[in-house]
Coordinates of all heavy atoms in Angstrom, one line a residue:
M1 N -14.4 -44.0 -107.4 CA -14.9 -42.9 -108.2 C -13.8 -41.9 -108.5 O -13.0 -41.5 -107.6 CB -16.1 -42.2 -107.5 CG -16.6 -41.0 -108.3 SD -17.8 -40.1 -107.4 CE -19.3 -40.7 -108.1
V2 N -13.6 -41.5 -109.7 CA -12.6 -40.5 -110.1 C -13.1 -39.1 -109.8 O -14.2 -38.8 -110.1 CB -12.3 -40.7 -111.6 CG1 -11.3 -39.6 -112.0 CG2 -11.8 -42.1 -111.9
A3 N -12.2 -38.3 -109.2 CA -12.6 -36.9 -108.8 C -12.7 -36.1 -110.1 O -12.0 -36.3 -111.1 CB -11.6 -36.4 -107.9
S4 N -13.7 -35.2 -110.1 CA -13.8 -34.3 -111.2 C -12.7 -33.3 -111.3 O -11.9 -33.1 -110.4 CB -15.1 -33.5 -111.1 OG -15.0 -32.6 -110.0
R5 N -12.6 -32.7 -112.5 CA -11.5 -31.7 -112.7 C -11.6 -30.6 -111.7 O -10.6 -30.1 -111.1 CB -11.6 -31.2 -114.1 CG -10.5 -30.2 -114.4 CD -10.5 -29.8 -115.9 NE -11.6 -28.9 -116.1 CZ -11.9 -28.5 -117.3 NH1 -11.3 -28.9 -118.4 NH2 -12.9 -27.7 -117.5
S6 N -12.8 -30.1 -111.4 CA -13.0 -28.9 -110.5 C -12.7 -29.4 -109.1 O -12.1 -28.6 -108.3 CB -14.4 -28.3 -110.6 OG -15.4 -29.3 -110.3
A7 N -13.0 -30.6 -108.7 CA -12.7 -31.1 -107.3 C -11.1 -31.2 -107.2 O -10.6 -30.8 -106.2 CB -13.3 -32.4 -107.1
R8 N -10.5 -31.7 -108.2 CA -9.0 -31.8 -108.2 C -8.4 -30.4 -108.1 O -7.4 -30.2 -107.4 CB -8.5 -32.5 -109.4 CG -8.8 -34.0 -109.5 CD -8.4 -34.6 -110.8 NE -8.7 -36.0 -110.9 CZ -7.8 -37.0 -110.9 NH1 -6.5 -36.7 -111.0 NH2 -8.2 -38.2 -111.0
E9 N -9.0 -29.5 -108.8 CA -8.5 -28.1 -108.8 C -8.6 -27.5 -107.4 O -7.6 -26.9 -106.9 CB -9.2 -27.3 -109.9 CG -8.5 -26.0 -110.3 CD -9.2 -25.4 -111.5 OE1 -8.9 -25.8 -112.7 OE2 -10.1 -24.6 -111.3
R10 N -9.7 -27.7 -106.8 CA -9.9 -27.2 -105.4 C -9.0 -27.8 -104.5 O -8.4 -27.1 -103.6 CB -11.4 -27.4 -105.0 CG -12.4 -26.5 -105.6 CD -13.8 -26.6 -105.0 NE -14.3 -27.9 -105.0 CZ -15.0 -28.4 -106.0 NH1 -15.3 -27.7 -107.1 NH2 -15.5 -29.7 -106.0
K11 N -8.8 -29.1 -104.6 CA -7.9 -29.8 -103.6 C -6.4 -29.3 -103.8 O -5.7 -29.0 -102.9 CB -7.9 -31.3 -103.9 CG -6.9 -32.1 -103.0 CD -7.0 -33.6 -103.3 CE -6.1 -34.3 -102.3 NZ -4.8 -34.7 -102.8
A12 N -6.0 -29.1 -105.1 CA -4.6 -28.7 -105.3 C -4.5 -27.2 -104.8 O -3.4 -26.9 -104.3 CB -4.3 -28.8 -106.8
A13 N -5.5 -26.4 -105.0 CA -5.4 -25.0 -104.5 C -5.3 -25.0 -103.0 O -4.5 -24.2 -102.5 CB -6.6 -24.2 -105.0
V14 N -6.0 -25.8 -102.3 CA -5.9 -25.8 -100.8 C -4.5 -26.3 -100.4 O -3.9 -25.7 -99.6 CB -7.0 -26.7 -100.2 CG1 -6.8 -27.0 -98.8 CG2 -8.4 -26.1 -100.4
E15 N -4.1 -27.4 -101.0 CA -2.8 -28.0 -100.7 C -1.6 -27.0 -101.0 O -0.7 -26.9 -100.3 CB -2.5 -29.3 -101.5 CG -3.3 -30.4 -101.1 CD -2.8 -31.0 -99.8 OE1 -1.5 -31.2 -99.6 OE2 -3.6 -31.4 -98.9
G16 N -1.8 -26.2 -102.1 CA -0.7 -25.3 -102.5 C -0.6 -24.0 -101.6 O 0.4 -23.4 -101.6
G17 N -1.7 -23.7 -100.9 CA -1.6 -22.6 -100.0 C -2.0 -21.3 -100.7 O -2.4 -21.2 -101.8
P18 N -1.9 -20.2 -99.9 CA -2.4 -18.9 -100.4 C -1.7 -18.3 -101.6 O -2.3 -17.5 -102.3 CB -2.3 -18.0 -99.2 CG -1.4 -18.6 -98.3 CD -1.4 -20.1 -98.6
L19 N -0.5 -18.7 -101.8 CA 0.3 -18.1 -103.0 C 0.0 -18.9 -104.3 O 0.3 -18.4 -105.4 CB 1.8 -18.1 -102.7 CG 2.3 -17.2 -101.6 CD1 3.8 -17.4 -101.4 CD2 2.0 -15.8 -102.0
A20 N -0.6 -20.0 -104.2 CA -0.8 -20.9 -105.4 C -2.0 -20.5 -106.1 O -3.1 -20.2 -105.5 CB -0.9 -22.3 -105.0
R21 N -1.9 -20.4 -107.4 CA -3.0 -20.2 -108.3 C -3.1 -21.5 -109.2 O -2.1 -21.8 -110.0 CB -2.9 -19.0 -109.2 CG -2.8 -17.7 -108.4 CD -4.0 -17.4 -107.6 NE -3.9 -16.2 -106.8 CZ -3.6 -16.2 -105.5 NH1 -3.4 -17.4 -104.9 NH2 -3.5 -15.1 -104.8
V22 N -4.1 -22.3 -109.1 CA -4.2 -23.6 -109.7 C -5.2 -23.6 -110.8 O -6.3 -23.1 -110.7 CB -4.5 -24.7 -108.7 CG1 -4.6 -26.1 -109.4 CG2 -3.5 -24.7 -107.6
K23 N -4.8 -24.2 -112.0 CA -5.7 -24.4 -113.1 C -5.5 -25.8 -113.6 O -4.3 -26.2 -113.8 CB -5.5 -23.3 -114.2 CG -6.4 -23.5 -115.3 CD -6.7 -22.2 -116.0 CE -7.6 -22.3 -117.2 NZ -8.9 -22.8 -116.9
I24 N -6.5 -26.5 -113.9 CA -6.4 -27.8 -114.5 C -7.2 -27.9 -115.8 O -8.4 -27.6 -115.8 CB -6.9 -28.9 -113.5 CG1 -6.1 -28.9 -112.3 CG2 -6.8 -30.3 -114.2 CD1 -6.5 -29.9 -111.2
D25 N -6.6 -28.2 -116.9 CA -7.2 -28.3 -118.2 C -7.2 -29.7 -118.6 O -6.6 -30.6 -117.9 CB -6.5 -27.4 -119.2 CG -6.7 -25.9 -119.0 OD1 -7.8 -25.5 -118.6 OD2 -5.7 -25.2 -119.1
V26 N -7.8 -30.0 -119.7 CA -7.7 -31.4 -120.3 C -7.1 -31.2 -121.7 O -7.5 -30.4 -122.5 CB -9.2 -32.0 -120.4 CG1 -9.1 -33.3 -121.1 CG2 -9.8 -32.1 -119.1
D27 N -6.1 -32.1 -122.0 CA -5.4 -32.0 -123.3 C -6.1 -32.8 -124.3 O -7.2 -33.4 -124.1 CB -3.9 -32.3 -123.2 CG -3.7 -33.8 -122.8 OD1 -4.6 -34.6 -122.8 OD2 -2.5 -34.1 -122.5
E28 N -5.5 -32.9 -125.5 CA -6.1 -33.7 -126.6 C -6.2 -35.2 -126.3 O -7.1 -35.8 -126.8 CB -5.2 -33.5 -127.9 CG -5.1 -32.1 -128.4 CD -4.0 -31.4 -127.7 OE1 -3.0 -32.0 -127.2 OE2 -4.1 -30.1 -127.5
A29 N -5.3 -35.7 -125.5 CA -5.4 -37.1 -125.1 C -6.3 -37.3 -123.9 O -6.4 -38.4 -123.4 CB -4.0 -37.6 -124.8
K30 N -7.1 -36.3 -123.6 CA -8.1 -36.4 -122.5 C -7.4 -36.6 -121.1 O -8.0 -37.3 -120.2 CB -9.1 -37.4 -122.7 CG -9.8 -37.2 -124.1 CD -11.3 -37.2 -123.9 CE -12.0 -37.1 -125.3 NZ -12.4 -35.9 -125.7
Q31 N -6.2 -36.1 -121.0 CA -5.5 -36.2 -119.7 C -5.5 -34.8 -119.0 O -5.5 -33.8 -119.7 CB -4.0 -36.6 -119.9 CG -3.8 -38.0 -120.3 CD -2.3 -38.4 -120.3 OE1 -1.5 -37.5 -120.6 NE2 -2.0 -39.6 -119.9
F32 N -5.5 -34.8 -117.7 CA -5.4 -33.6 -117.0 C -4.1 -32.9 -117.2 O -3.0 -33.6 -117.2 CB -5.7 -33.8 -115.5 CG -7.1 -34.2 -115.2 CD1 -7.3 -35.4 -114.5 CD2 -8.1 -33.4 -115.5 CE1 -8.6 -35.8 -114.2 CE2 -9.4 -33.7 -115.2 CZ -9.7 -34.9 -114.5
V33 N -4.1 -31.6 -117.3 CA -2.9 -30.8 -117.4 C -2.9 -29.8 -116.2 O -3.8 -29.0 -116.1 CB -2.9 -29.9 -118.7 CG1 -1.7 -29.1 -118.8 CG2 -3.0 -30.9 -119.9
Y34 N -1.9 -30.0 -115.3 CA -1.9 -29.2 -114.1 C -1.0 -28.0 -114.2 O 0.2 -28.2 -114.6 CB -1.3 -30.1 -113.0 CG -2.2 -31.3 -112.7 CD1 -2.1 -32.5 -113.4 CD2 -3.2 -31.2 -111.7 CE1 -2.9 -33.6 -113.1 CE2 -4.0 -32.3 -111.4 CZ -3.8 -33.5 -112.1 OH -4.6 -34.6 -111.8
K35 N -1.5 -26.8 -113.9 CA -0.7 -25.6 -114.0 C -0.9 -24.9 -112.6 O -2.0 -24.6 -112.2 CB -1.2 -24.7 -115.1 CG -0.3 -23.4 -115.1 CD -0.7 -22.6 -116.3 CE 0.2 -21.4 -116.4 NZ -0.1 -20.5 -117.5
I36 N 0.3 -24.8 -111.9 CA 0.3 -24.0 -110.7 C 1.2 -22.8 -110.9 O 2.3 -22.9 -111.3 CB 0.9 -24.9 -109.5 CG1 0.1 -26.2 -109.4 CG2 0.9 -24.1 -108.2 CD1 0.7 -27.2 -108.4
S37 N 0.6 -21.7 -110.6 CA 1.4 -20.4 -110.7 C 1.5 -19.7 -109.4 O 0.7 -19.9 -108.5 CB 0.8 -19.5 -111.8 OG -0.5 -19.2 -111.5
C38 N 2.5 -18.8 -109.3 CA 2.7 -18.1 -108.0 C 2.1 -16.7 -108.1 O 2.2 -16.0 -109.1 CB 4.2 -17.9 -107.8 SG 4.6 -17.1 -106.3
A39 N 1.4 -16.3 -107.1 CA 0.7 -15.1 -107.1 C 1.6 -13.9 -107.0 O 1.3 -12.8 -107.3 CB -0.3 -15.0 -105.9
E40 N 2.9 -14.1 -106.6 CA 3.8 -13.0 -106.4 C 5.0 -13.0 -107.3 O 5.5 -11.9 -107.7 CB 4.4 -13.1 -104.9 CG 3.4 -12.8 -103.9 CD 4.0 -12.8 -102.5 OE1 5.2 -13.1 -102.3 OE2 3.3 -12.6 -101.5
C41 N 5.5 -14.1 -107.8 CA 6.7 -14.2 -108.6 C 6.5 -14.1 -110.1 O 5.5 -14.6 -110.6 CB 7.5 -15.5 -108.3 SG 8.0 -15.6 -106.6
T42 N 7.4 -13.4 -110.7 CA 7.4 -13.4 -112.2 C 8.6 -14.1 -112.7 O 9.7 -14.1 -112.1 CB 7.4 -11.9 -112.8 OG1 8.5 -11.2 -112.2 CG2 6.1 -11.2 -112.4
A43 N 8.4 -14.8 -113.8 CA 9.5 -15.5 -114.4 C 10.2 -14.7 -115.5 O 11.4 -14.5 -115.5 CB 9.0 -16.9 -114.9
K44 N 9.5 -14.4 -116.5 CA 10.0 -13.6 -117.6 C 9.1 -12.4 -117.9 O 7.9 -12.6 -118.1 CB 10.0 -14.4 -118.9 CG 11.0 -15.6 -118.9 CD 11.0 -16.3 -120.2 CE 12.0 -17.5 -120.1 NZ 12.0 -18.3 -121.3
A45 N 9.7 -11.2 -117.9 CA 8.9 -10.0 -118.1 C 7.7 -9.9 -117.2 O 7.8 -9.8 -116.0 CB 8.6 -9.8 -119.6
H46 N 6.5 -10.0 -117.8 CA 5.3 -9.9 -117.0 C 4.6 -11.2 -116.7 O 3.6 -11.2 -116.0 CB 4.3 -9.1 -117.9 CG 3.9 -9.7 -119.1 ND1 4.7 -9.9 -120.2 CD2 2.7 -10.4 -119.5 CE1 4.1 -10.5 -121.2 NE2 2.9 -10.9 -120.7
R47 N 5.2 -12.3 -117.1 CA 4.6 -13.6 -116.9 C 4.9 -14.2 -115.5 O 6.0 -14.1 -115.0 CB 5.1 -14.6 -117.9 CG 4.8 -14.2 -119.4 CD 5.4 -15.1 -120.4 NE 4.6 -16.3 -120.5 CZ 4.9 -17.3 -121.2 NH1 6.0 -17.3 -121.9 NH2 4.1 -18.4 -121.3
K48 N 3.8 -14.7 -114.9 CA 4.0 -15.3 -113.6 C 4.8 -16.6 -113.6 O 4.7 -17.3 -114.6 CB 2.6 -15.6 -113.0 CG 1.7 -14.4 -112.8 CD 2.2 -13.7 -111.5 CE 1.2 -12.6 -111.2 NZ 1.8 -11.8 -110.1
W49 N 5.5 -16.8 -112.5 CA 6.2 -18.1 -112.4 C 5.1 -19.2 -112.4 O 4.1 -19.1 -111.7 CB 7.0 -18.2 -111.1 CG 7.7 -19.5 -111.0 CD1 9.0 -19.8 -111.3 CD2 7.1 -20.7 -110.4 NE1 9.2 -21.1 -111.0 CE2 8.1 -21.7 -110.5 CE3 5.9 -21.0 -109.9 CZ2 7.9 -23.0 -110.0 CZ3 5.7 -22.3 -109.5 CH2 6.7 -23.3 -109.5
S50 N 5.4 -20.3 -113.1 CA 4.4 -21.4 -113.1 C 5.1 -22.7 -113.4 O 6.2 -22.7 -114.0 CB 3.2 -21.1 -114.0 OG 3.7 -21.1 -115.4
T51 N 4.4 -23.8 -113.1 CA 4.8 -25.1 -113.5 C 3.6 -25.7 -114.2 O 2.5 -25.4 -113.9 CB 5.2 -26.0 -112.3 OG1 5.7 -27.2 -112.8 CG2 4.1 -26.1 -111.3
Y52 N 3.9 -26.5 -115.2 CA 2.9 -27.1 -116.1 C 3.3 -28.5 -116.4 O 4.3 -28.8 -116.9 CB 3.0 -26.3 -117.4 CG 2.1 -26.7 -118.5 CD1 0.8 -26.1 -118.6 CD2 2.5 -27.5 -119.5 CE1 0.0 -26.5 -119.6 CE2 1.7 -27.9 -120.6 CZ 0.4 -27.3 -120.6 OH -0.5 -27.7 -121.6
R53 N 2.4 -29.4 -115.9 CA 2.7 -30.9 -116.1 C 1.4 -31.6 -116.5 O 0.3 -31.3 -116.0 CB 3.1 -31.5 -114.7 CG 4.4 -30.9 -114.2 CD 5.6 -31.4 -115.1 NE 6.9 -31.0 -114.6 CZ 7.5 -29.9 -114.9 NH1 7.0 -29.0 -115.7 NH2 8.7 -29.6 -114.4
T54 N 1.6 -32.5 -117.4 CA 0.5 -33.3 -117.9 C 0.5 -34.7 -117.3 O 1.5 -35.1 -116.7 CB 0.5 -33.5 -119.5 OG1 1.8 -34.2 -119.8 CG2 0.5 -32.2 -120.2
G55 N -0.6 -35.4 -117.4 CA -0.7 -36.7 -116.9 C -1.6 -36.9 -115.7 O -2.0 -35.9 -115.0
G56 N -2.0 -38.1 -115.4 CA -2.9 -38.4 -114.3 C -2.4 -37.9 -112.9 O -2.0 -36.8 -112.8
D57 N -2.4 -38.8 -112.0 CA -1.9 -38.4 -110.6 C -0.4 -38.1 -110.6 O 0.1 -37.3 -109.9 CB -2.2 -39.5 -109.6 CG -3.7 -39.7 -109.4 OD1 -4.4 -38.7 -109.5 OD2 -4.1 -40.8 -109.1
N58 N 0.4 -38.7 -111.5 CA 1.8 -38.4 -111.6 C 2.0 -37.0 -112.0 O 2.9 -36.3 -111.5 CB 2.4 -39.4 -112.6 CG 3.9 -39.3 -112.5 OD1 4.5 -39.2 -111.5 ND2 4.6 -39.3 -113.7
G59 N 1.2 -36.5 -112.9 CA 1.3 -35.1 -113.3 C 1.0 -34.1 -112.1 O 1.7 -33.1 -111.9
Y60 N 0.1 -34.5 -111.3 CA -0.2 -33.8 -110.1 C 1.0 -33.8 -109.2 O 1.4 -32.7 -108.7 CB -1.5 -34.3 -109.4 CG -1.7 -33.7 -108.0 CD1 -2.3 -32.5 -107.9 CD2 -1.3 -34.4 -106.9 CE1 -2.5 -31.9 -106.7 CE2 -1.5 -33.8 -105.6 CZ -2.1 -32.6 -105.5 OH -2.3 -32.0 -104.3
L61 N 1.6 -34.9 -109.0 CA 2.7 -35.0 -108.1 C 3.9 -34.2 -108.6 O 4.5 -33.5 -107.8 CB 3.2 -36.5 -107.9 CG 2.3 -37.3 -106.9 CD1 2.8 -38.8 -106.9 CD2 2.3 -36.8 -105.5
L62 N 4.1 -34.3 -109.9 CA 5.3 -33.5 -110.5 C 5.0 -32.0 -110.3 O 6.0 -31.3 -110.0 CB 5.5 -33.9 -111.9 CG 6.0 -35.3 -112.2 CD1 5.9 -35.6 -113.7 CD2 7.4 -35.5 -111.6
A63 N 3.8 -31.6 -110.6 CA 3.5 -30.2 -110.5 C 3.6 -29.7 -109.0 O 4.2 -28.7 -108.7 CB 2.1 -29.9 -111.1
M64 N 3.1 -30.5 -108.1 CA 3.1 -30.1 -106.7 C 4.5 -30.2 -106.2 O 4.9 -29.3 -105.4 CB 2.1 -31.0 -105.9 CG 1.9 -30.5 -104.5 SD 1.2 -28.8 -104.4 CE -0.5 -29.0 -105.0
D65 N 5.3 -31.1 -106.6 CA 6.7 -31.2 -106.1 C 7.4 -29.9 -106.6 O 8.1 -29.3 -105.8 CB 7.4 -32.4 -106.7 CG 7.0 -33.7 -106.1 OD1 6.3 -33.7 -105.1 OD2 7.5 -34.8 -106.5
R66 N 7.2 -29.5 -107.8 CA 7.9 -28.3 -108.3 C 7.4 -27.1 -107.5 O 8.2 -26.2 -107.2 CB 7.7 -28.2 -109.8 CG 8.4 -27.0 -110.4 CD 9.1 -27.4 -111.7 NE 10.0 -26.3 -112.1 CZ 9.7 -25.4 -113.0 NH1 8.6 -25.5 -113.6 NH2 10.5 -24.4 -113.3
W67 N 6.1 -27.0 -107.2 CA 5.6 -25.9 -106.4 C 6.2 -25.9 -105.0 O 6.6 -24.9 -104.5 CB 4.1 -26.0 -106.4 CG 3.5 -25.0 -105.5 CD1 2.8 -25.3 -104.3 CD2 3.5 -23.6 -105.6 NE1 2.4 -24.1 -103.7 CE2 2.8 -23.0 -104.5 CE3 4.0 -22.7 -106.6 CZ2 2.6 -21.7 -104.4 CZ3 3.8 -21.4 -106.4 CH2 3.1 -20.8 -105.3
I68 N 6.3 -27.1 -104.4 CA 6.9 -27.2 -103.1 C 8.4 -26.6 -103.1 O 8.7 -25.8 -102.2 CB 6.9 -28.6 -102.6 CG1 5.5 -29.1 -102.2 CG2 7.8 -28.8 -101.4 CD1 5.3 -30.6 -102.0
F69 N 9.1 -27.0 -104.1 CA 10.5 -26.5 -104.2 C 10.5 -25.0 -104.4 O 11.4 -24.3 -103.9 CB 11.3 -27.2 -105.3 CG 11.4 -28.7 -105.1 CD1 11.3 -29.6 -106.1 CD2 11.7 -29.2 -103.8 CE1 11.5 -31.0 -105.9 CE2 11.9 -30.6 -103.6 CZ 11.7 -31.5 -104.6
H70 N 9.6 -24.5 -105.2 CA 9.5 -23.0 -105.4 C 9.2 -22.3 -104.1 O 9.9 -21.3 -103.7 CB 8.4 -22.7 -106.4 CG 8.2 -21.2 -106.6 ND1 9.0 -20.4 -107.3 CD2 7.2 -20.4 -106.1 CE1 8.6 -19.2 -107.2 NE2 7.5 -19.1 -106.5
L71 N 8.3 -22.9 -103.3 CA 7.9 -22.2 -102.0 C 9.1 -22.2 -101.1 O 9.4 -21.2 -100.4 CB 6.8 -23.0 -101.3 CG 5.4 -22.7 -101.9 CD1 4.4 -23.6 -101.2 CD2 5.0 -21.3 -101.7
V72 N 9.8 -23.4 -101.0 CA 11.0 -23.5 -100.1 C 12.1 -22.5 -100.5 O 12.7 -21.8 -99.7 CB 11.5 -24.9 -100.1 CG1 12.9 -25.0 -99.4 CG2 10.5 -25.8 -99.4
E73 N 12.3 -22.4 -101.8 CA 13.4 -21.5 -102.3 C 13.1 -20.0 -102.3 O 13.9 -19.2 -101.8 CB 13.8 -22.0 -103.7 CG 15.0 -21.2 -104.3 CD 15.3 -21.6 -105.7 OE1 15.2 -22.8 -106.0 OE2 15.8 -20.7 -106.4
K74 N 11.9 -19.7 -102.8 CA 11.6 -18.3 -103.0 C 10.7 -17.7 -101.9 O 10.7 -16.5 -101.7 CB 10.8 -18.1 -104.3 CG 11.6 -18.5 -105.5 CD 12.8 -17.6 -105.7 CE 13.5 -18.1 -107.0 NZ 14.7 -17.3 -107.2
H75 N 10.0 -18.5 -101.1 CA 9.1 -18.0 -100.1 C 9.3 -18.8 -98.8 O 8.4 -19.5 -98.3 CB 7.7 -18.1 -100.5 CG 7.4 -17.5 -101.8 ND1 7.3 -16.1 -101.9 CD2 7.2 -18.0 -103.1 CE1 7.0 -15.8 -103.2 NE2 7.0 -16.9 -103.9
P76 N 10.5 -18.8 -98.2 CA 10.8 -19.7 -97.1 C 9.9 -19.5 -95.9 O 9.8 -20.5 -95.1 CB 12.3 -19.3 -96.7 CG 12.6 -18.0 -97.4 CD 11.6 -17.9 -98.5
G77 N 9.3 -18.4 -95.7 CA 8.4 -18.2 -94.5 C 6.9 -18.6 -94.8 O 6.1 -18.6 -93.9
A78 N 6.7 -19.0 -96.0 CA 5.3 -19.2 -96.5 C 4.8 -20.5 -95.8 O 5.6 -21.4 -95.5 CB 5.2 -19.4 -98.0
E79 N 3.5 -20.6 -95.6 CA 2.9 -21.8 -95.0 C 1.9 -22.3 -96.0 O 1.1 -21.6 -96.6 CB 2.1 -21.5 -93.7 CG 3.1 -21.1 -92.6 CD 2.4 -20.9 -91.3 OE1 1.3 -21.5 -91.1 OE2 2.9 -20.2 -90.4
A80 N 2.0 -23.6 -96.2 CA 1.1 -24.3 -97.1 C 1.0 -25.8 -96.7 O 2.0 -26.3 -96.4 CB 1.5 -24.2 -98.6
P81 N -0.2 -26.4 -96.8 CA -0.2 -27.8 -96.4 C 0.7 -28.7 -97.2 O 1.2 -29.7 -96.7 CB -1.7 -28.2 -96.7 CG -2.4 -26.9 -96.6 CD -1.5 -25.8 -97.1
C82 N 1.0 -28.4 -98.5 CA 1.9 -29.3 -99.3 C 3.3 -29.3 -98.8 O 4.0 -30.3 -99.1 CB 1.9 -28.8 -100.7 SG 2.6 -27.1 -101.0
L83 N 3.7 -28.4 -98.0 CA 5.1 -28.4 -97.4 C 5.3 -29.6 -96.5 O 6.5 -30.0 -96.3 CB 5.4 -27.1 -96.7 CG 5.5 -25.9 -97.6 CD1 5.6 -24.6 -96.8 CD2 6.6 -26.0 -98.6
A84 N 4.3 -30.2 -96.0 CA 4.4 -31.4 -95.2 C 5.0 -32.6 -96.0 O 5.5 -33.5 -95.5 CB 3.0 -31.8 -94.6
Y85 N 4.9 -32.4 -97.4 CA 5.4 -33.5 -98.3 C 6.8 -33.2 -98.9 O 7.2 -33.8 -99.8 CB 4.4 -33.7 -99.4 CG 3.0 -33.9 -98.9 CD1 2.0 -33.0 -99.2 CD2 2.7 -35.1 -98.2 CE1 0.7 -33.2 -98.7 CE2 1.4 -35.3 -97.7 CZ 0.4 -34.4 -97.9 OH -0.8 -34.6 -97.5
L86 N 7.5 -32.2 -98.3 CA 8.8 -31.8 -98.8 C 9.8 -33.0 -98.8 O 10.4 -33.2 -99.8 CB 9.4 -30.7 -97.9 CG 10.8 -30.3 -98.3 CD1 10.9 -29.7 -99.7 CD2 11.3 -29.2 -97.3
G87 N 9.8 -33.8 -97.8 CA 10.7 -35.0 -97.8 C 10.4 -35.9 -98.9 O 11.3 -36.4 -99.6
A88 N 9.2 -36.2 -99.1 CA 8.7 -37.1 -100.2 C 9.1 -36.5 -101.5 O 9.5 -37.3 -102.4 CB 7.3 -37.4 -100.1
A89 N 8.9 -35.2 -101.7 CA 9.2 -34.6 -103.0 C 10.7 -34.7 -103.2 O 11.1 -34.9 -104.4 CB 8.8 -33.1 -102.9
Q90 N 11.5 -34.5 -102.2 CA 13.0 -34.6 -102.4 C 13.4 -36.0 -102.8 O 14.3 -36.2 -103.6 CB 13.7 -34.1 -101.1 CG 13.6 -32.6 -100.9 CD 14.0 -32.2 -99.5 OE1 14.0 -33.0 -98.5 NE2 14.6 -31.0 -99.4
Q91 N 12.7 -37.0 -102.2 CA 13.0 -38.4 -102.5 C 12.7 -38.7 -103.9 O 13.4 -39.3 -104.6 CB 12.3 -39.3 -101.5 CG 12.5 -40.8 -101.8 CD 14.0 -41.2 -101.6 OE1 14.6 -40.6 -100.7 NE2 14.4 -42.1 -102.4
R92 N 11.5 -38.2 -104.4 CA 11.1 -38.5 -105.8 C 12.1 -37.8 -106.8 O 12.4 -38.4 -107.8 CB 9.7 -38.0 -106.0 CG 8.6 -38.9 -105.5 CD 7.2 -38.5 -105.9 NE 6.8 -37.2 -105.3 CZ 6.2 -37.1 -104.1 NH1 5.9 -38.2 -103.4 NH2 5.8 -35.9 -103.7
L93 N 12.5 -36.6 -106.4 CA 13.5 -35.9 -107.3 C 14.8 -36.7 -107.3 O 15.4 -36.9 -108.4 CB 13.7 -34.5 -106.7 CG 14.8 -33.7 -107.5 CD1 14.4 -33.4 -108.9 CD2 15.0 -32.4 -106.8
H94 N 15.3 -37.1 -106.2 CA 16.5 -37.9 -106.1 C 16.4 -39.2 -107.0 O 17.3 -39.5 -107.8 CB 16.8 -38.3 -104.7 CG 18.0 -39.2 -104.5 ND1 19.3 -38.7 -104.7 CD2 18.1 -40.5 -104.2 CE1 20.1 -39.7 -104.5 NE2 19.4 -40.8 -104.2
E95 N 15.2 -39.9 -106.9 CA 15.0 -41.1 -107.7 C 14.9 -40.8 -109.2 O 15.5 -41.6 -110.0 CB 13.7 -41.8 -107.2 CG 13.8 -42.4 -105.9 CD 12.4 -42.8 -105.3 OE1 11.4 -42.7 -106.0 OE2 12.4 -43.3 -104.2
R96 N 14.3 -39.7 -109.6 CA 14.3 -39.3 -111.0 C 15.7 -39.0 -111.5 O 16.0 -39.4 -112.6 CB 13.4 -38.1 -111.2 CG 11.9 -38.4 -111.2 CD 11.0 -37.3 -111.7 NE 11.2 -36.0 -111.0 CZ 10.5 -35.7 -109.9 NH1 9.6 -36.6 -109.4 NH2 10.6 -34.6 -109.3
R97 N 16.5 -38.3 -110.7 CA 17.8 -38.0 -111.2 C 18.7 -39.3 -111.3 O 19.5 -39.4 -112.2 CB 18.5 -37.0 -110.2 CG 17.9 -35.6 -110.4 CD 18.5 -34.7 -109.4 NE 18.1 -33.3 -109.7 CZ 18.3 -32.3 -108.9 NH1 19.0 -32.4 -107.8 NH2 17.8 -31.1 -109.3
E98 N 18.5 -40.2 -110.4 CA 19.2 -41.5 -110.5 C 18.8 -42.3 -111.7 O 19.7 -42.8 -112.4 CB 19.0 -42.4 -109.2 CG 19.8 -42.0 -108.0 CD 19.6 -42.9 -106.9 OE1 18.6 -43.7 -106.8 OE2 20.5 -43.0 -106.0
Q99 N 17.5 -42.3 -112.1 CA 17.1 -43.0 -113.3 C 17.6 -42.3 -114.5 O 17.9 -43.0 -115.5 CB 15.5 -43.0 -113.3 CG 14.9 -43.9 -112.3 CD 13.4 -43.9 -112.4 OE1 12.8 -43.0 -113.0 NE2 12.8 -44.8 -111.6
Q100 N 17.7 -41.0 -114.6 CA 18.2 -40.3 -115.7 C 19.7 -40.6 -115.9 O 20.2 -40.6 -117.0 CB 18.0 -38.8 -115.6 CG 16.5 -38.5 -115.8 CD 16.2 -37.0 -115.5 OE1 17.1 -36.3 -115.0 NE2 15.0 -36.6 -115.8
G101 N 20.4 -40.8 -114.8 CA 21.9 -41.0 -114.8 C 22.2 -42.4 -115.3 O 23.4 -42.6 -115.7
S102 N 21.3 -43.3 -115.2 CA 21.6 -44.7 -115.6 C 21.5 -45.0 -117.0 O 20.9 -44.4 -117.8 CB 20.8 -45.8 -114.9 OG 20.0 -45.3 -113.9

């Protein structure tokens, strides 16, 4: 059974920890669009730092990986369940960079 959008949103919010603000929308192609923003950081002027990725589970992984890297870089003392996946996120990033280089 496929999880509902609200169930996916709740799971991502729990995984992201207390600084994460998670919103999942559906695009024109009926795919989930994952947006994770930081409760503390701003990127440009008044806009909150955020990551925005489309696609099924891969979109979730890409958004969560980017969130993990943000937490490690900008909030080194923060605690979040997703930080347990830092090694896997680094491996996926390395693989993506190798594929782009070929």
Side-chain angles (χ1 to χ4, degrees):
M1 174 189 263
V2 176
S4 68
R5 182 173 73 186
S6 59
R8 288 174 183 245
E9 201 169 272
R10 285 189 302 272
K11 179 183 184 260
V14 168
E15 287 286 316
L19 292 177
R21 302 297 177 259
V22 178
K23 180 150 178 65
I24 300 176
D25 291 320
V26 178
D27 67 8
E28 301 82 32
K30 306 233 186 262
Q31 289 189 326
F32 290 120
V33 177
Y34 297 86
K35 182 175 183 180
I36 304 175
S37 59
C38 183
E40 292 183 357
C41 296
T42 54
K44 293 182 181 177
H46 65 286
R47 298 175 79 183
K48 294 284 185 187
W49 178 95
S50 65
T51 183
Y52 178 88
R53 297 290 186 268
T54 60
D57 291 332
N58 191 39
Y60 171 78
L61 282 176
L62 292 172
M64 193 57 71
D65 286 356
R66 185 135 189 259
W67 174 247
I68 290 168
F69 297 141
H70 174 78
L71 283 176
V72 168
E73 183 179 328
K74 301 293 183 182
H75 306 283
E79 292 187 23
C82 64
L83 292 173
Y85 308 113
L86 176 61
Q90 290 170 329
Q91 179 64 33
R92 284 188 291 273
L93 177 62
H94 178 70
E95 289 169 2
R96 281 191 302 272
R97 286 182 175 167
E98 280 186 339
Q99 287 177 350
Q100 290 173 351
S102 348

